[in-house]
Amino acid sequence: MKPLNIIDFKGKSILLLCHENADLDAFCSAAILSRFLKQKKIKSSVAVPSHINEQTLSFAISEKISFNVNPALEQFDVICLFDFNDYEQLGKLRK
């Protein structure tokens, strides 16, 4: 198996997807990777299936971290999942 190289992400549409009712550990992990990719001039989007918890929402607002709700998965070349331990945590996106 070929090791992952961040350069391979250039020019790709990248989704950083947190689990349903995203908590701080999932959301912050995705946000940190998004900022790292941005430094490398690689675009990405942080998203959640339908909502995030109140603490995470407050954090996102205070830190000015944008995120999408219910993203169209087929629009992305690469999807990175954060803090999933069950298929059910995809919420509406299970379809």
Side-chain angles (χ1 to χ4, degrees):
M1 178 187 293
K2 178 183 165 190
L4 182 66
N5 187 336
I6 204 73
I7 301 301
D8 294 338
F9 289 146
K10 284 208 180 230
K12 304 237 186 224
S13 179
I14 302 171
L15 178 65
L16 308 175
L17 184 63
C18 302
H19 59 75
E20 183 79 26
N21 193 30
D23 48 19
L24 278 172
D25 62 324
F27 189 81
C28 288
S29 297
I32 289 168
L33 181 54
S34 178
R35 287 189 180 181
F36 172 77
L37 292 171
K38 186 176 182 179
Q39 289 176 346
K40 302 294 181 187
K41 303 203 182 336
I42 299 171
K43 294 181 182 179
S44 64
S45 298
V46 175
V48 296
S50 66
H51 63 283
I52 61 178
N53 70 29
E54 287 182 36
Q55 183 182 28
T56 306
L57 180 58
S58 292
F59 177 79
I61 292 168
S62 72
E63 296 299 316
K64 298 180 176 111
I65 301 170
S66 62
F67 63 94
N68 299 316
V69 176
N70 194 22
L73 300 180
E74 62 277 357
Q75 294 179 356
F76 295 92
D77 300 314
V78 177
I79 300 173
C80 300
L81 303 177
F82 290 86
D83 198 26
F84 280 82
N85 58 12
D86 190 306
Y87 181 69
E88 297 297 315
Q89 288 183 300
L90 278 169
K92 293 189 250 182
L93 298 177
R94 285 187 308 245
K95 57 183 172 156

